[in-house]
Amino acid sequence: MSAVSFAQGDAFEWLTFSLTDGSEVAVAAENLSLNFSDGVLRLSSASVDTSFDVANLRSMRFTSDASGIADVEALPAARAEYFTVAGVSAGVFDSVDDARAALTSGMYIARSESRSWKVMF
């Protein structure tokens, strides 16, 4: 099974996955390909290359923000420090778009003064 996801206009820029452990992961939806095989959902695009075991997925939905938690573009100060999942600082960026342009594909934890969120580029 193979599908290409797309959203009408720019309303939904992210595909957010709710995992069975209660966490959420967002990936950029633009030109995103989803392939399902042997219980694994593979995601690929120019900015995304990752996979999930379907057994670990609770749901997925299109969202207008990177986290499913808060509208990142509406934050008063979108400046945040991004960390790898190993906890290593990947840099401080003024916006999610700046971080996406500078960082390699992968999952990151972003932390601003008042909020934290997960994002996958």
Side-chain angles (χ1 to χ4, degrees):
M1 173 182 232
S2 176
V4 177
S5 65
F6 61 93
Q8 183 176 0
D10 292 330
F12 300 108
E13 297 176 16
W14 304 92
L15 183 58
T16 300
F17 294 87
S18 296
L19 306 178
T20 56
D21 67 2
S23 65
E24 290 191 333
V25 177
V27 298
E30 184 175 1
N31 297 318
L32 184 66
S33 293
L34 291 85
N35 295 298
F36 175 76
S37 177
D38 299 322
V40 176
L41 180 63
R42 289 179 181 78
L43 309 170
S44 61
S45 73
S47 62
V48 176
D49 182 21
T50 194
S51 62
F52 295 103
D53 289 328
V54 174
N56 294 330
L57 294 176
R58 179 175 297 154
S59 67
M60 65 182 184
R61 66 192 183 284
F62 286 100
T63 58
S64 58
D65 61 69
S67 67
I69 297 170
D71 186 352
V72 173
E73 294 189 37
L75 293 175
R79 185 173 178 83
E81 185 170 7
Y82 286 73
F83 297 88
T84 67
V85 292
V88 177
S89 178
V92 177
F93 301 94
D94 290 328
S95 70
V96 172
D97 290 333
D98 288 348
R100 183 185 343 186
L103 299 174
T104 60
S105 295
M107 186 182 320
Y108 296 90
I109 307 298
R111 185 175 65 197
S112 70
E113 288 183 18
S114 61
R115 296 185 178 152
S116 296
W117 62 93
K118 290 182 189 179
V119 63
M120 184 176 293
F121 301 121

